[in-house]
Amino acid sequence: MNALDRIDRNILMQLQQDSRLTNVQLAAQVGLSPPACLKRVKRLTEEGYISRQVALIAPHKLGPMLHMVVEVFMERDHKQLFQEFVKSVQATSEIKQCYQVTGEVDFVLIIMVRDMEAYEKLCDRLLYSNPNVRKFRTLISMKRDKFETAIELE
């Protein structure tokens, strides 16, 4: 991979703020010609700096949702068992993020579900049915005060 220069970083910052920018608009904002800008965006995508472009949906517009942080404690610290758990997490659409962490907790899950019934079904399917899950602790978010997806590029 090539090192990122100032223009590459600027392109990435602009796209993090609004990926709907046309190539002409983006080129003007970063001080390049449209063909040069398009070439850089293509390279940044091919090299994996841009992994995907998505629309961020406002969850409150879709009706009531429960946003939860779940701490998962595993029974045994075994790589294969952890990999199996991660695979099941990746196949679960309600889980939006999964972090393997240090300390007494093994995983932290960020979950969004419509209601407690949906969460209970998820727990039955993913947590209670897994013999390596020793216990889990659920924290229900009362309010989201900050949600940011942009990465600092200095």
Side-chain angles (χ1 to χ4, degrees):
M1 284 195 215
N2 297 326
L4 295 177
D5 64 15
R6 180 185 55 79
I7 295 173
D8 290 335
R9 290 178 189 282
N10 195 3
I11 288 170
L12 293 173
M13 287 190 313
Q14 298 300 323
L15 289 175
Q16 284 186 103
Q17 295 307 311
D18 186 359
S19 68
R20 295 176 300 166
L21 289 172
T22 67
N23 183 57
V24 172
Q25 292 170 322
L26 180 60
Q29 288 186 5
V30 299
L32 288 176
S33 69
C37 185
L38 187 60
K39 185 176 178 180
R40 282 190 183 239
V41 170
K42 183 178 179 189
R43 179 180 53 79
L44 290 167
T45 302
E46 288 170 353
E47 291 180 357
Y49 289 101
I50 301 171
S51 61
R52 60 186 176 155
Q53 294 181 350
V54 299
L56 297 177
I57 307 298
H60 67 277
K61 293 289 199 179
L62 301 175
M65 297 283 277
L66 293 175
H67 188 216
M68 302 172 172
V69 178
V70 178
E71 299 173 330
V72 180
F73 302 78
M74 304 304 272
E75 191 66 48
R76 292 178 305 280
D77 188 5
H78 189 273
K79 186 174 184 174
Q80 181 181 356
L81 294 172
F82 277 33
Q83 289 171 339
E84 289 171 11
F85 180 74
V86 168
K87 188 175 180 182
S88 66
V89 162
Q90 290 172 338
T92 305
S93 63
E94 298 93 339
I95 298 175
K96 304 307 175 191
Q97 298 173 50
C98 173
Y99 301 93
Q100 188 172 351
V101 298
T102 61
E104 76 176 77
V105 175
D106 295 299
F107 292 93
V108 174
L109 309 176
I110 307 299
I111 297 175
M112 286 184 69
V113 290
R114 287 258 175 231
D115 52 31
M116 283 306 290
E117 183 179 341
Y119 181 61
E120 287 176 29
K121 288 179 183 177
L122 180 144
C123 289
D124 288 343
R125 209 171 58 243
L126 180 76
L127 302 170
Y128 290 126
S129 67
N130 187 324
N132 197 40
V133 172
R134 182 167 40 99
K135 68 177 183 174
F136 60 95
R137 181 173 32 221
T138 304
L139 301 122
I140 300 174
S141 171
M142 294 172 46
K143 182 174 118 181
R144 182 165 76 177
D145 293 313
K146 181 176 181 179
F147 176 77
E148 183 65 48
T149 62
I151 297 171
E152 289 294 321
L153 300 168
E154 294 182 16

